[in-house]
Each structure stands twice: as C-alpha cells, then as structure tokens.
Amino acid sequence: MSAGNRRFNDEAADWDKNPSVQESSRLAFNALSPLIASLSARKHQATGIETGLHVLEVGCGTGLLTLRVAPLVASIVAIDPAQGMIETLKAKIDSSSSSSTSTCETDNLHADGPRTRSPNSNILPICHLLSDPEDPLLPPEDGDPKSTGRRRKFDLIISHLVMHHVPDLRSFLSTLHGCLAPGGKVALSDFEDFGPEAIKFHPPSKLKGVERHGIQREWMEGIMREVGFEDVRVQVGWSLRKSVEMWEGCRLGDTMEFPFLLCEGARAVV
Ligand SMILES: C[S@@+](CC[C@H](N)C(=O)[O-])C[C@H]1O[C@@H](n2cnc3c(N)ncnc32)[C@H](O)[C@@H]1O
C-alpha cells in the first residue's frame, strides 16, 4: 500500500469532520451544478429522452461531492483506491437506503426500465486505482452485469482535490479521456499552484503523499491537449479560505485564500 493510500485509509473515519473539506465540496458542487444542467439538457435534446447523465467520479473519498451530485444524474460510479474512504461512502449509502425509500424516482444504474429506488441507489462505489478505461470493475456498456465486453463510457467525469496526489498526471488524464463517451466532458477541480505559498494548503504534518503543491494553469492546459482533450479550459472557479496556522511564522487563527482551478475538456464527438 502506498503512503498516500495509507494516509487516506487512516483519515477516512474523520474526513467529514474537517470543515474546510466540507466547504470545499460545497464550492465544487456549486461550480459543477450548472454544467450538469447544461449537459443533461444537451443529452435530452440529442436523444429525445430524459435519460440523465452517466457520471464517473475519480478519487471520490467519502463521497461528499458524490452524494450532492447523485440526485441530479442518472448514475454515478464513485471510485477511490483507499478502502477506508469507500467503506465510509458505502455506509452512507446504506444508511440513506434504510432510512427512506422514494417511489417516484427511477433506478438508472443497471436497469433499462423504470423502478422505484431508494436515495443514492444510483451510486456505485468501487475501491480501485483506475488506470484502464476498459477495467472490468467498471460497469459494462451493455448493462448486462455478466458482460466481459466494453465498459461504460461516461457523459461527465469529475474529480475534486485528487490531482495533486497523482504521481503521473498525464497517464491519469489519458485514462479519463478513454473513459469518456464521444462528446463527453471532464470537469476536474483542484487548488492552484500560484507560487511558493501554495505549499501551505496542507499543514506540514500532511505533506506525505502530496505529489505537487497544486496545479499550474498553463501546464495543465498543455497536458490536457496532449492526451487528446478538445475545448480545454482551465480557469479559477472559486477560492477557499483555509487555516495555515500550523506553518512556521504563522499565528493561531491565521488563514489564507487558495484559488481553485476548474479544468474542463471534452472528448471529440468523432
Ligand atoms: C484529498 S482526498 C479528496 C477526496 C474527495 N474527492 C473530497 O473532496 O473529499 C484525495 C482522494 O484521492 C484518492 N486518490 C489518491 N491517489 C489517487 C489516484 N492516483 N487516483 C484516484 N484517486 C486517488 C485518495 O484515496 C483520496 O480519497
């Protein structure tokens, strides 16, 4: 197990107690929801039926963003290499399904026809380090659970606060590109590497498993284009005020504003 994975397994139980993690997911969701609405409308217009989006979230953690996005989409596959994170997400899904069952929504994850579903039953949590768009752990394209054929291709791929942990970002982005349906989009968010002060995003005790202190805008645009994304747009979407009091020279209560990049790109329609 890598140092990064061990760290996230250890932190899973207390992950949601961190207010800046909660606030960060809220801000990411605010930026994503108009995009989800416009992609859903575009799909509806193209297909003539209101199917909703099939979404993949990579590095979902305990599902803070997953659970906000799930009600807006047909399905969401939530994948993360840390077992502790996925177990926490599964527990949340189980507790929501035992506490209430909706009779007006439909289960779009595996079924073709309408069925009643409990809240969050359209979330498929998977513990895995995704490195292949045809990974057999991803749902099959044809919907047959026993199928060994092509895997599902997604309308939208999201990933929040993950890329600064990924050693080989080019290969990560190439995998995501391969997981997109033609015309599908990625919307990836992470804090910006705006200079030497960006290191303070993490307290000194949490630098293990951090591969880079944020994402550099032009560099990111370049590798997104290199791996095949079209309509690449990398821009500051919001910023998060966060404590930096654990850093030398800072005082109790000191905070800093960290800009977040929203990195968008599309797969060619063909
Ligand atoms: C900072 S946490 C963010 C979790 C969640 N997205 C959130 O915002 O609460 C980073 C997550 O990325 C996962 N992760 C680390 N390396 C990864 C990789 N190479 N591919 C996918 N996920 C990874 C970790 O297990 C962890 O759950």
Side-chain angles (χ1 to χ4, degrees):
M1 190 192 293
S2 72
N5 258 1
R6 215 170 10 248
R7 176 190 149 185
F8 288 115
N9 276 331
D10 295 346
E11 288 187 21
D14 289 332
W15 188 255
D16 293 4
K17 292 181 189 156
N18 181 339
S20 84
V21 160
Q22 293 279 357
E23 176 63 357
S24 168
S25 298
R26 190 186 69 79
L27 292 167
F29 177 72
N30 285 351
L32 285 175
S33 48
L35 178 66
I36 292 171
S38 74
L39 290 178
S40 303
R42 192 183 73 178
K43 188 172 179 184
H44 185 186
Q45 210 169 25
T47 58
I49 37 172
E50 215 162 330
T51 51
L53 300 178
H54 291 297
V55 178
L56 171 66
E57 184 184 0
V58 181
C60 61
T62 61
L64 289 172
L65 185 58
T66 325
L67 291 157
R68 287 178 184 266
V69 169
L72 306 184
V73 301
S75 75
I76 179 160
V77 173
I79 192 161
D80 196 289
Q83 184 80 37
M85 291 293 201
I86 289 293
E87 290 309 322
T88 305
L89 170 57
K90 282 183 177 165
K92 290 182 192 177
I93 296 169
D94 289 349
S95 76
S96 59
S97 70
S98 59
S99 61
S100 79
T101 302
S102 154
T103 50
C104 57
E105 292 172 283
T106 54
D107 184 339
N108 293 304
L109 189 58
H110 302 294
D112 294 329
R115 265 202 268 155
T116 57
R117 81 170 192 206
S118 52
N120 302 324
S121 65
N122 62 339
I123 303 174
L124 177 64
I126 301 176
C127 181
H128 191 53
L129 182 64
L130 185 66
S131 60
D132 176 4
E134 294 304 319
D135 193 303
L137 288 179
L138 291 172
E141 190 165 56
D142 61 11
D144 173 0
K146 292 198 191 108
S147 170
T148 54
R150 243 173 87 84
R151 311 326 282 171
R152 178 179 297 167
K153 299 293 170 256
F154 297 88
D155 302 307
L156 174 66
I157 300 180
I158 59 175
S159 182
H160 180 57
L161 275 175
V162 177
M163 294 188 293
H164 66 273
H165 291 291
V166 175
D168 183 349
L169 203 53
R170 191 171 273 97
S171 134
F172 175 85
L173 292 169
S174 177
T175 302
L176 301 194
H177 184 264
C179 289
L180 280 180
K185 279 195 88 164
V186 289
L188 317 169
S189 43
D190 209 339
F191 68 102
E192 183 179 17
D193 175 357
F194 57 91
E197 290 282 282
I199 193 174
K200 293 184 180 164
F201 185 84
H202 295 94
S205 60
K206 291 202 175 161
L207 290 177
K208 215 181 242 181
V210 173
E211 292 290 332
R212 55 189 69 78
H213 303 297
I215 304 298
Q216 284 173 350
R217 225 184 289 189
E218 289 80 17
W219 176 75
M220 182 69 186
E221 282 171 355
I223 52 173
M224 286 184 78
R225 290 200 181 95
E226 263 172 55
V227 304
F229 286 106
E230 297 192 340
D231 304 328
V232 172
R233 199 167 58 157
V234 177
Q235 58 186 14
V236 174
W238 65 91
S239 52
L240 175 74
R241 185 158 281 285
K242 200 172 182 291
S243 165
V244 291
E245 63 189 25
M246 302 306 275
W247 280 92
E248 212 181 301
C250 294
R251 287 176 303 186
L252 197 66
D254 277 357
T255 61
M256 244 176 78
E257 191 92 7
F258 291 90
F260 269 67
L261 295 179
L262 184 62
C263 312
E264 296 176 74
R267 184 171 181 143
V269 178
V270 215

